[in-house]
Amino acid sequence: MATFELYRRSTIGMCLTETLDEMVSSSTLSPELAIQVLVQFDKSMTEALESQVKSKVSIKGHLHTYRFCDNVWTFILQDAVFKNEDAQENVGRVKIVACDSKLLSQ
């Protein structure tokens, strides 16, 4: 199964990458093993989002910028409102990156 490296730019992905870099720098972990951990992280995030996340969210806001490049959509919204069944959250500026899931099964 192919995966995207998108989730490495999330907060948890960046923390994992920083930790792995520190471990490689201190010779606690080999670079090859660190790469294997990142690849497994990509797979695990993809699987978890596909199988475990069931909630739906609606997003409204002012579309500041959009881009489609290499089958990846990037949207930048201003004054966005995220709503689900239980709550609503206002965000001043948000970047949404979306990929076609059909590409993962190729």
Side-chain angles (χ1 to χ4, degrees):
M1 173 168 114
T3 59
F4 290 111
E5 296 178 3
L6 280 178
Y7 308 115
R8 294 183 192 184
R9 304 261 337 253
S10 66
T11 303
I12 192 169
M14 303 247 316
C15 289
L16 175 62
T17 303
E18 287 176 22
T19 302
L20 291 172
D21 286 344
E22 288 175 15
M23 293 176 78
V24 168
S25 295
S26 67
S27 299
T28 308
L29 193 68
S30 71
E32 295 81 15
L33 188 54
I35 291 170
Q36 286 180 357
V37 170
L38 286 173
V39 169
Q40 183 59 51
F41 172 76
D42 297 335
K43 289 178 185 177
S44 297
M45 286 296 294
T46 301
E47 290 172 12
L49 290 173
E50 284 178 357
S51 64
Q52 296 178 14
V53 177
K54 305 293 181 206
S55 63
K56 297 191 187 276
V57 174
S58 68
I59 306 168
K60 291 185 180 180
H62 174 73
L63 182 60
H64 181 268
T65 307
Y66 67 95
R67 181 177 309 120
F68 183 70
C69 182
D70 296 331
N71 291 314
V72 177
W73 280 103
T74 303
F75 302 95
I76 298 177
L77 301 174
Q78 291 180 323
D79 301 320
V81 178
F82 288 78
K83 290 183 188 177
N84 69 4
E85 305 86 35
D86 304 327
Q88 173 176 319
E89 189 73 33
N90 297 316
V91 180
R93 185 175 173 96
V94 65
K95 180 178 182 179
I96 299 171
V97 180
C99 300
D100 189 350
S101 64
K102 293 175 190 162
L103 297 174
L104 293 174
S105 60
Q106 292 180 348

